[in-house]
Amino acid sequence: MKIKNIIFDMGGVILDFRPEKTLLKYFDNKKDRDIILKNVFQSPVWQDMDRGVITNLEAVQLTAKNLPERLHATVRHLLENWFDEMPPKEDVFELIKTLKENGYKIYLLSNVSKDFYDQKDNIPAFEFFDGFLISSDYYLLKPEREIYEKLFEKFNLMPEECYFIDDLQKNIDGSKAVGMDGYCFYDGNVEKLKKEMRQKGIKI
């Protein structure tokens, strides 16, 4: 069946999400960087923000319990301003623009906190999007089956007419399990992505 809809993840796909790189700007000490990676970005607290069960303020408070006091102010700044650390990817912007010009519907499916709504208008590529589904609105996370089903239901989509682009293989595996093909954009190589899309019959 012909693909009509392209579904994008946000962090790591549309925006440059690399906590390890960001922390280099704030901390010279590798030990401090590792502590923050473990207790913030790789922690259940970060997932709970994306699931919508805690606020960013609650995340700051919970995270602080596991961190030395000297790190608290910077971690609070990062949690409250994380979107500032994720610049848009220009080559992906051009890809999305071309897909829209070629007649495809474009949607977002992202694990992200409700801070998304404060930042949405600052992300240039979103002018081409037909709809947004973020995890924290539904208390779900990729790769849970229900979040993909909610996407299809919300926008009246047929899975086999959709193509999903995410930077984590487990999320692509989740999409394929419900009948939506996709591509793991882990390396950020847009030319490889375009090649894969063309092989699926997508005009790009």
Side-chain angles (χ1 to χ4, degrees), residues 125-140:
F126 286 166
E127 67 179 283
F128 304 114
F129 277 62
D130 295 281
F132 305 86
L133 191 148
I134 68 167
S135 57
S136 53
D137 280 346
Y138 299 95
Y139 310 109
L140 296 168

Side-chain angles (χ1 to χ4, degrees), residues 108-164:
L108 183 79
L109 176 62
S110 180
N111 286 354
V112 64
S113 71
K114 285 186 167 57
D115 282 4
F116 169 81
Y117 292 110
D118 296 327
Q119 302 294 332
K120 182 165 72 75
D121 293 342
N122 299 326
I123 300 172
F126 286 166
E127 67 179 283
F128 304 114
F129 277 62
D130 295 281
F132 305 86
L133 191 148
I134 68 167
S135 57
S136 53
D137 280 346
Y138 299 95
Y139 310 109
L140 296 168
L141 290 174
K142 295 175 295 182
E144 295 165 1
R145 183 182 187 91
E146 292 82 1
I147 196 167
Y148 303 103
E149 293 174 340
K150 181 60 68 174
L151 173 79
F152 305 144
E153 175 190 338
K154 180 176 181 179
F155 299 115
N156 194 28
L157 306 176
M158 298 178 64
E160 60 270 27
E161 293 181 345
C162 300
Y163 192 77
F164 181 45

Side-chain angles (χ1 to χ4, degrees), residues 19-20 23 27 29-44 63-72 75 78:
E20 294 90 344
L23 291 176
F27 301 99
N29 188 314
K30 183 179 185 301
K31 183 178 178 180
D32 287 346
R33 296 197 300 269
D34 290 345
I35 289 172
I36 293 171
L37 273 175
K38 178 182 177 182
N39 290 284
V40 180
F41 299 100
Q42 298 170 354
S43 74
T63 301
K65 296 177 182 179
N66 298 317
L67 296 173
E69 188 171 349
R70 60 188 167 77
L71 301 179
H72 288 187
V75 168
L78 286 170

Side-chain angles (χ1 to χ4, degrees), residues 40-114:
V40 180
F41 299 100
Q42 298 170 354
S43 74
V45 171
W46 188 270
Q47 286 200 335
D48 284 347
M49 281 197 300
D50 285 351
R51 194 181 286 277
V53 296
I54 63 171
T55 65
N56 278 27
L57 178 58
E58 289 169 330
V60 169
Q61 294 167 342
L62 289 168
T63 301
K65 296 177 182 179
N66 298 317
L67 296 173
E69 188 171 349
R70 60 188 167 77
L71 301 179
H72 288 187
T74 304
V75 168
R76 182 186 185 100
H77 169 79
L78 286 170
L79 285 171
E80 292 179 348
N81 301 278
W82 184 244
F83 273 84
D84 294 341
E85 305 293 342
M86 296 193 296
K89 294 186 175 186
E90 291 298 327
D91 50 1
V92 177
F93 173 90
E94 293 299 329
L95 171 69
I96 292 169
K97 181 174 181 287
T98 301
L99 287 166
K100 189 65 178 176
E101 290 170 349
N102 289 347
Y104 293 95
K105 295 281 190 179
I106 312 291
Y107 299 94
L108 183 79
L109 176 62
S110 180
N111 286 354
V112 64
S113 71
K114 285 186 167 57

